[in-house]
Amino acid sequence: MQIWIENPNQADVIQFIDDLDAYQKPLYPPESHYGIDLATLSAAHVLFAVARDDAGTAIGCGALVMNPGYGELKRMYVRPQNRGHGVAAKVLGFLEGEATARGCAMFRLETGVSQPEALAFYARAGYARRERFGDYPDDPLSVFMHKTAEITAPHRP
């Protein structure tokens, strides 16, 4: 598996976003959907990562929106047949590493109460619940989480 920053405006990635929307839309009312669109995913301040298998097939993706003071995770998705193999953790780690290299020291996210797998995944990755942030409304269906970047000083002999 390889993970790279890519342009999200690709047929296989657009299908991922459509699949993610198809999964999430029945879980929440329209006013509780906070996914970002393709134009936003393509913006210069967004890191969009795609995981591909050895054949070049996209198997997972995720985005990190670089805001002043923090990066916000968005659009994390792994194809159902590729789940359980660490793809999401590797995409998350890649995005965190890329953002940290650009000076980001805090990561935040919003996910929903009806996604226990996502909540458990982020908790295992070191994310803790927090109060809402940014422009999100006070929505009882949202769960907000954060994590401080692990920045280590370079080794000096």
Side-chain angles (χ1 to χ4, degrees), residues 13-32:
V13 175
I14 292 168
Q15 185 61 56
F16 274 180
I17 294 165
D18 289 346
D19 292 348
L20 178 58
D21 285 343
Y23 167 73
Q24 289 180 331
K25 284 186 179 180
L27 298 177
Y28 306 99
E31 63 274 11
S32 293

Side-chain angles (χ1 to χ4, degrees), residues 34-150:
Y34 304 109
I36 56 178
D37 61 20
L38 190 62
T40 303
L41 287 173
S42 301
H45 70 288
V46 177
L47 305 175
F48 189 82
V50 178
R52 295 185 180 277
D53 64 17
D54 293 339
T57 303
I59 58 174
C61 67
L64 199 136
V65 180
M66 301 291 285
N67 294 302
Y70 66 93
E72 182 181 358
L73 289 165
K74 301 295 283 183
R75 294 299 192 172
M76 290 286 295
Y77 182 74
V78 175
R79 288 188 334 180
Q81 61 267 39
N82 297 104
R83 293 179 187 160
H85 301 287
V87 175
K90 289 176 184 168
V91 170
L92 179 60
F94 178 85
L95 285 168
E96 290 174 345
E98 289 290 314
T100 300
R102 290 166 170 79
C104 183
M106 173 65 68
F107 307 114
R108 295 179 180 171
L109 64 91
E110 179 276 336
T111 191
V113 296
S114 297
Q115 295 172 262
E117 298 88 356
L119 292 167
F121 167 73
Y122 290 121
R124 283 191 309 273
Y127 284 77
R129 292 184 185 222
R130 58 159 290 134
E131 70 281 356
R132 69 183 168 92
F133 63 91
D135 295 332
Y136 287 100
D138 188 13
D139 187 339
L141 300 178
S142 288
V143 175
F144 300 96
M145 302 179 86
H146 71 144
K147 176 180 174 180
T148 302
E150 294 180 19

